[in-house]
Amino acid sequence: MKVAVVGATGMVGEVMLKVLEERKFPITELIPVASERSVGKIISYQGKEYSVVGLETAVSLRPDIALFSAGGGTSLEWAPKFAEVGTTVVDNSSAWRMDPTKKLVVPEINANVLTKEDKIIANPNCSTIQMVMALNPLHKAYKMKRVVVSTYQSVSGTGVKAVRQLENEIAGIEGEMAYPYPIGRNALPHCDVFEENGYTKEEMKLAKEPQKIMNDSSFSVSATAVRIPTAGGHSESVNVEFENDFDLSEVRQLLSETPGVVVQDNTDTNTYPMPIYAHNKDEVFVGRIRRDESQPNTLNMWIVADNLRKGAATNTIQIAEYLVEHHLV
């Protein structure tokens, strides 16, 4: 099993290598790939050293699977070139997510849509993944009508430059800015770029991607995405209106029985999900589960996950594991 990690020196790429190692993914040959400026750089994997290669070289090596985390432009240009030589690409950028010819996959929800013919598979947005992990079992049980989500997203979702900005601000050092304003002691209602409708790209991903993953457009999602000064982990306040009424203890039970979801919900002991607790974990944590008392059949909950793991690297590798397990590569 020849596996290329495209964007191996980036933030998500590094986590991908860590997750591949932890999960003992069956690799016989690892091909770390990055942009020209990183070619020749040495990375270590399972105690062995590997030299980073460029995209052209990686395509010529014809890997079985290429795990991409190198930005949308790179994916649009290079994913088809890998696919042409028979490689199955699992792409972590937004490039292919809403392409009607490509599958958008969260393995616990819809891995069964994958076939041998799928040569470019899209990994959803980090905030979308954690939200649908909690919404999917509830939608099956009570049928969602409308979801209102506000996100509290860490700087690691923006990348290395943003993490450095926050660290510099904490240390009182003037440095390069990833955001138009300081992020320390602040909250920016501005994730990604603004679109003509006044929403950001991130907010529109949250609105559109769940319908595609769940193959259902009968519900709608309205989102506000906010960047906060946490180093890692995204949090979401989610309000869900259902067609049918629910029982809170049943909701907790459904969620706790969902693979990949952990319920942390006990106000007596101050038990609720927090980014600091989700750090380096693959599960999606759900708590503060309560009725919205302002209208019928409506639920409030708080959802937290490590955005670099389940939100990116782990979900990508779970897709690859499914492909291997079901002999689709």
Side-chain angles (χ1 to χ4, degrees):
M1 181 62 59
K2 219 190 265 194
V3 177
V5 175
V6 180
T9 57
M11 228 170 166
V12 175
E14 285 176 4
V15 179
M16 276 184 186
L17 291 166
K18 192 176 160 192
V19 175
L20 285 166
E21 201 164 335
E22 283 173 11
R23 294 174 78 95
K24 297 179 172 58
F25 191 83
I27 296 177
T28 50
E29 191 184 330
L30 175 71
I31 306 163
V33 191
S35 61
E36 286 308 313
R37 67 175 180 272
S38 295
V39 169
K41 201 175 165 183
I42 301 297
I43 64 143
S44 71
Y45 177 77
Q46 288 189 332
K48 280 168 74 179
E49 294 200 329
Y50 293 83
S51 186
V52 172
V53 302
L55 285 149
E56 203 80 63
T57 306
V59 172
S60 71
L61 292 169
R62 296 174 175 256
D64 300 290
I65 294 175
L67 308 174
F68 263 68
S69 190
T74 304
S75 293
L76 284 172
E77 184 183 349
W78 288 93
K81 294 179 183 178
F82 277 90
E84 268 168 37
V85 298
T87 303
T88 300
V89 173
V90 186
D91 180 46
N92 205 29
S93 79
S94 58
W96 305 98
R97 289 179 191 152
M98 296 315 293
D99 182 323
T101 67
K102 306 288 181 283
K103 312 277 172 65
L104 184 64
V105 175
V106 176
E108 292 90 340
I109 297 173
N110 67 333
N112 61 339
V113 299
L114 294 170
T115 68
K116 264 189 173 156
E117 281 62 55
D118 294 308
K119 286 298 175 197
I120 299 174
I121 301 158
N123 199 52
N125 175 44
C126 45
S127 308
T128 301
I129 291 173
Q130 65 187 72
M131 184 171 74
V132 297
M133 284 285 291
L135 291 181
N136 189 58
L138 302 181
H139 181 48
K140 283 180 178 167
Y142 313 114
K143 197 145 174 51
M144 298 187 303
K145 282 167 74 173
R146 181 169 187 251
V147 179
V148 180
V149 54
S150 295
T151 71
Y152 304 75
Q153 298 182 215
S154 73
V155 293
S156 64
T158 309
V160 178
K161 194 173 155 187
V163 173
R164 207 169 292 131
Q165 178 182 331
L166 178 60
E167 285 170 353
N168 284 343
E169 286 173 19
I170 291 166
I173 299 164
E174 273 200 36
E176 201 184 358
M177 304 268 287
Y179 302 119
Y181 299 100
I183 184 65
R185 301 183 179 189
N186 202 6
L188 301 177
H190 181 181
C191 294
D192 213 325
V193 298
F194 287 105
E195 301 204 319
E196 274 182 22
N197 62 359
Y199 286 83
T200 62
K201 262 189 173 171
E202 182 80 4
E203 289 160 353
M204 293 315 296
K205 290 170 194 172
L206 278 158
K208 292 173 180 170
E209 290 179 18
Q211 295 181 337
K212 183 171 178 181
I213 296 160
M214 292 154 82
N215 191 28
D216 190 343
S217 57
S218 66
F219 62 90
S220 57
V221 180
S222 182
T224 302
V226 182
R227 191 74 62 190
I228 61 166
T230 45
H234 290 352
S235 306
E236 298 171 341
S237 165
V238 180
N239 177 274
V240 200
E241 184 188 353
F242 296 104
E243 282 190 16
N244 306 305
D245 201 9
F246 53 84
D247 175 77
L248 280 178
S249 57
E250 191 181 63
V251 166
R252 288 187 187 95
Q253 176 143 9
L254 274 173
L255 289 167
S256 56
E257 287 169 358
T258 301
V261 172
V262 173
V263 174
Q264 293 180 319
D265 190 42
N266 186 344
T267 50
D268 294 340
T269 56
N270 293 339
T271 302
Y272 35 70
M274 292 179 288
I276 204 164
Y277 183 83
H279 182 61
N280 268 340
K281 297 189 176 82
D282 290 323
E283 294 81 11
V284 172
F285 300 91
V286 186
R288 299 295 321 279
I289 298 163
R290 63 211 189 275
R291 265 185 196 280
D292 176 346
E293 294 183 348
S294 70
Q295 66 168 7
N297 304 355
T298 304
L299 181 78
N300 282 308
M301 56 185 170
W302 178 251
I303 305 169
V304 178
D306 184 321
N307 54 297
L308 296 180
R309 288 189 66 110
K310 182 56 181 171
T314 306
N315 199 75
T316 305
I317 289 154
Q318 284 176 305
I319 293 171
E321 286 171 343
Y322 183 92
L323 294 170
V324 172
E325 215 175 293
H326 292 81
H327 311 292
L328 302 177
V329 288

